[in-house]
């Protein structure tokens, strides 16, 4: 259940939409039938496969993101990220439910410790948008819901491990919960002297820009922790005017903005698209950070791009963009103590 805050949101974006982010989230498209109808797509061609995929991993698309998808185009790169397909039901060898083996890294309810200096806290299992390629699409979130006692245990676990200097809010999407809870987490974590940074991995400012509201900006501005937000933008069409305004508000609050993308077949496996993405991100004050090789999660093999193709794309970026706009091509390897760079000239 998404927790809701009564805090009145004063911040307004370009279209003067008075709906709060909570209302927009609650009004998300949640069925294949709705999605196809809204986008003028032929149900005879797409509905059967969409229903099959929906049963495995439900459809969820918020209105602000939906508005950026070109109606009538089944190959739109934003649509491809959210439309279930028949291919999701095809078992493929090597594509598994837990490709990063996170179940073995759980140290407390909701707390994952894969790296020496960082701990990842799964604040919620809720997302604002269900991306079809998600490496956690099979994660048992219901088994890791945090009670008040669990929260106290997490803080105690963090306080007892002086190697940890950064906490990562993850999920689901951590910004899918209310700001009272997030502020309480930040306040508790900030009392631990050896923790310096709070990192937030989120899609919400991109898919629902109204999420960047006064209450979010307030607690981000007042925490002693260095706030870093890692966005997840895969295609330049995701960065509209509302999103750029929201990102500007976060920068004004002192938040460092980074982006990580996943290289996805049919979405961004094109050098021109990736170049434009880096340029638009930087124009919005966001530094391209990582370009992830695909995690082999069951149900999403149709998004996979070979390492050779990924190397070729990044070499093209190096020849076109200044170095600071070229994201690092990496893979997350289970058991490794950090992201593994992929050799561009192997």
């Amino acid at each position: 259940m998404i927790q809701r805050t009564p805090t009145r949101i004063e911040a307004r974006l370009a279209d003067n939409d008075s709906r709060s982010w909570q209302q927009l989230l609650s009004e998300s498209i949640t069925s294949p039938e709705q999605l196809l109808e809204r986008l003028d797509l032929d149900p005879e061609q797409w509905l059967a496969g969409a229903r099959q995929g929906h049963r495995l991993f439900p459809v969820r698309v918020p209105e602000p993101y939906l508005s950026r998808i070109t109606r009538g185009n089944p190959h739109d790169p934003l649509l491809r990220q959210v439309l279930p397909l028949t291919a999701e039901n095809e078992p493929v060898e090597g594509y598994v439910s837990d490709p990063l083996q996170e179940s073995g890294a759980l140290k407390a309810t909701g707390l994952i410790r894969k790296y020496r200096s960082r701990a990842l806290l799964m604040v919620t299992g809720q997302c604002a948008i269900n991306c079809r390629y998600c490496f956690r699409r099979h994660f048992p979130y219901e088994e890791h819901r945090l009670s008040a006692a669990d929260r106290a245990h997490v803080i105690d676990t963090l306080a007892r491990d002086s190697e940890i200097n950064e906490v990562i809010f993850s999920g689901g999407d951590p910004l899918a919960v209310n700001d009272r809870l997030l502020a309480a987490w930040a306040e508790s974590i900030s009392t631990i002297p050896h923790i310096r940074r709070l990192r937030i991995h989120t899609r919400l400012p991109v898919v629902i820009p109204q999420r960047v509201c006064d209450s979010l900006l307030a607690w981000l501005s007042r925490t002693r922790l260095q706030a870093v937000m890692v966005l997840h933008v895969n295609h330049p069409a995701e960065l509209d005017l509302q999103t750029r305004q929201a990102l500007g508000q976060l920068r004004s609050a002192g938040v460092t903005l980074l982006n990580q993308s996943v290289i996805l077949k049919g979405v961004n496996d094109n050098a021109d698209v990736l170049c434009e993405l880096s340029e638009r991100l930087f124009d919005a004050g966001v530094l391209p950070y990582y370009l992830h090789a695909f995690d082999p999660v069951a149900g999403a093999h149709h998004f996979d791009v070979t390492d050779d193709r990924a190397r070729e794309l990044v070499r093209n970026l190096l020849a076109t963009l200044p170095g600071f706009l070229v994201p690092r091509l990496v893979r997350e390897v289970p058991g490794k103590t950090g992201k593994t760079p992929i050799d561009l000239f192997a």
Side-chain angles (χ1 to χ4, degrees):
M1 180 66 68
I2 300 170
Q3 302 184 50
R4 306 192 186 281
T5 173
T7 303
R8 184 183 176 202
I9 296 174
E10 301 293 345
R12 292 288 180 262
L13 298 174
D15 68 350
N16 295 315
D17 191 336
S18 63
R19 288 177 293 176
S20 70
W21 68 269
Q22 295 100 326
Q23 184 177 353
L24 287 163
L25 185 58
S26 70
E27 294 172 355
S28 295
I29 298 296
T30 55
S31 77
E33 292 84 358
Q34 284 180 298
L35 185 60
L36 296 179
E37 181 180 359
R38 288 292 306 279
L39 295 174
D40 292 335
L41 295 174
D42 182 3
E44 290 191 11
Q45 183 175 2
W46 299 102
L47 185 56
R51 282 175 171 166
Q52 292 175 32
H54 174 70
R55 285 193 288 269
L56 295 172
F57 187 44
V59 167
R60 176 174 287 276
V61 187
E63 186 71 35
Y65 186 89
L66 186 77
S67 68
R68 300 169 214 162
I69 298 173
T70 303
R71 297 171 69 93
N73 179 9
H75 306 295
D76 182 281
L78 274 60
L79 175 64
R80 184 165 171 80
Q81 296 179 58
V82 297
L83 177 65
L85 298 174
T86 304
E88 296 184 26
N89 295 268
E90 301 168 358
V92 177
E93 185 177 358
Y95 293 80
V96 297
S97 61
D98 185 12
L100 303 186
Q101 299 177 20
E102 291 186 318
S103 57
L106 288 163
K107 299 303 180 185
T109 301
L111 191 66
I112 295 178
R113 183 76 186 283
K114 294 189 288 187
Y115 311 123
R116 175 176 294 181
S117 62
R118 287 95 72 203
L120 186 147
L121 180 59
M122 304 192 75
V123 176
T124 179
Q126 177 69 50
C127 273
I129 188 167
N130 283 352
C131 303
R132 309 312 300 176
Y133 53 86
C134 179
F135 71 89
R136 289 198 184 120
R137 56 183 284 164
H138 305 286
F139 191 88
Y141 287 108
E142 289 299 316
E143 299 174 15
H144 299 282
R145 303 183 83 175
L146 290 159
S147 66
D150 293 327
R151 290 195 291 270
H153 181 53
V154 165
I155 296 300
D156 182 63
T157 301
L158 294 171
R160 286 187 286 106
D161 193 337
S162 60
E163 282 193 321
I164 298 173
N165 62 27
E166 179 175 324
V167 173
I168 302 168
F169 283 179
S170 186
D173 193 312
L175 293 191
V177 301
N178 70 61
D179 287 310
R180 290 194 311 276
L181 179 58
L182 294 174
W185 270 118
E187 183 176 356
S188 296
I189 292 168
S190 70
T191 66
I192 303 172
H194 53 263
I195 296 181
R196 301 165 56 183
R197 287 183 301 277
L198 175 63
R199 195 192 326 170
I200 303 167
H201 283 229
T202 181
R203 276 276 262 171
L204 253 156
V206 177
V207 301
I208 304 180
Q210 290 84 347
R211 180 61 184 94
V212 180
C213 57
D214 291 345
S215 55
L216 173 64
L217 296 170
W219 72 260
L220 284 171
S221 298
R222 68 173 178 258
T223 181
R224 75 151 181 89
L225 301 168
Q226 292 177 305
V228 179
M229 190 170 288
V230 181
L231 303 165
H232 182 170
V233 185
N234 294 315
H235 192 278
E238 296 179 50
L239 294 167
D240 64 357
L241 176 59
Q242 286 183 295
T243 303
R244 295 194 300 272
Q245 288 182 321
L247 298 180
Q249 291 176 314
L250 288 166
R251 293 200 316 276
S252 296
V255 180
T256 298
L257 298 177
L258 307 174
N259 184 69
Q260 58 180 3
S261 304
V262 181
I263 188 165
L264 300 167
K265 186 176 181 179
V267 175
N268 59 12
D269 57 333
N270 177 286
D272 291 338
V273 168
L274 290 174
C275 282
E276 181 64 18
L277 175 59
S278 284
E279 292 283 9
R280 288 201 196 179
L281 284 167
F282 196 68
D283 286 347
V286 183
L287 190 67
Y289 173 44
Y290 281 146
L291 179 61
H292 281 270
F294 186 76
D295 296 316
V297 62
H301 66 276
H302 51 292
F303 286 109
D304 207 348
V305 173
T306 67
D307 282 359
D308 283 345
R309 176 59 177 156
R311 291 187 183 99
E312 179 186 2
L313 290 169
V314 178
R315 288 196 296 266
N316 284 336
L317 298 189
L318 285 168
T320 306
L321 295 170
F324 61 87
L325 290 187
V326 179
R328 294 177 66 196
L329 181 63
V330 297
R331 165 173 284 112
E332 185 154 357
V333 179
K336 295 288 187 179
T337 57
K339 299 294 191 295
T340 300
I342 294 177
D343 187 349
L344 297 182
F345 300 97

